[in-house]
């Protein structure tokens, strides 16, 4: 199997890595606060396939206060970024009661209704206002 990272743009370190991550979110019309990253080691993106990966030193838990949602980001996050969507996402979990189901698809309707949808492998979809995931939330 071919390396999914082959031919990718790679940025090392917190500053450059975060810059690339935010630039990708902007380019694909996704909220900039969607990936609250800390201690970034590497961020990469393969334009031809949309494959994106993020490596951080430690797991990050972040609460999106506007929607009272606790989300966990693993040390490695991967997925495929498209316009207004991230699919086949790995490394992100959202707390639901006592469980942490993995989130594997994030999408925004086009034309936008101001809502963002998070789908888990179990087929459960949660919908929230996009502004809850704006930068600084």
């Amino acid at each position: 199997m071919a390396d999914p990272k082959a031919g990718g743009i790679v940025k090392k370190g917190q500053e450059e890595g975060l810059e690339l991550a935010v630039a990708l979110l902007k380019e694909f019309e996704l909220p900039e606060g969607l990936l609250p990253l800390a201690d970034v080691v590497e961020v990469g993106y393969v334009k031809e396939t949309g494959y994106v990966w993020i490596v951080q030193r430690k797991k990050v838990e972040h609460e999106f206060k506007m929607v009272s949602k606790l989300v966990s980001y693993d040390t490695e996050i991967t997925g495929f970024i498209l316009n207004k969507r991230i699919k086949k996402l790995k490394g992100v979990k959202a707390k639901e009661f006592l469980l942490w189901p993995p989130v594997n698809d994030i999408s925004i309707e086009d034309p936008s209704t101001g809502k963002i949808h998070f789908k888990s492998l179990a087929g459960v979809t949660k919908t929230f206002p996009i502004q809850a995931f704006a930068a600084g939330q």
Side-chain angles (χ1 to χ4, degrees), residues 60-86:
V60 173
E61 280 190 5
H62 180 81
E63 184 181 359
F64 291 97
K65 290 179 176 50
M66 196 186 280
V67 291
S68 302
K69 183 57 67 187
L70 189 63
V71 181
S72 165
Y73 298 86
D74 276 338
T75 53
E76 187 163 359
I77 301 162
T78 63
F80 291 86
I81 194 164
L82 310 147
N83 199 42
K84 298 186 176 169
R85 183 164 179 215
I86 301 174

Side-chain angles (χ1 to χ4, degrees), residues 35 71-74 77 89-94 101-104 106:
L35 300 169
V71 181
S72 165
Y73 298 86
D74 276 338
I77 301 162
L89 184 63
K90 290 188 172 111
V92 179
K93 295 179 181 131
V103 175
N104 75 320
I106 300 172

Side-chain angles (χ1 to χ4, degrees), residues 1 4 19-20 29 35 37 40-41 48 61 68 71 78 87 89 94-95 99 101-103 111-112 116 124:
M1 189 172 159
E19 206 173 273
L20 176 59
E29 299 179 56
L35 300 169
L37 307 170
V40 173
V41 177
E48 292 73 32
E61 280 190 5
S68 302
V71 181
T78 63
K87 64 179 189 175
L89 184 63
K95 190 165 189 191
L99 303 172
V103 175
S112 183
I116 184 165
V124 177

Side-chain angles (χ1 to χ4, degrees), residues 28-50:
F28 291 99
E29 299 179 56
L30 291 161
E32 288 174 45
L34 201 56
L35 300 169
L37 307 170
D39 281 341
V40 173
V41 177
E42 180 179 291
V43 175
Y45 169 62
V46 181
K47 193 171 184 154
E48 292 73 32
T49 61

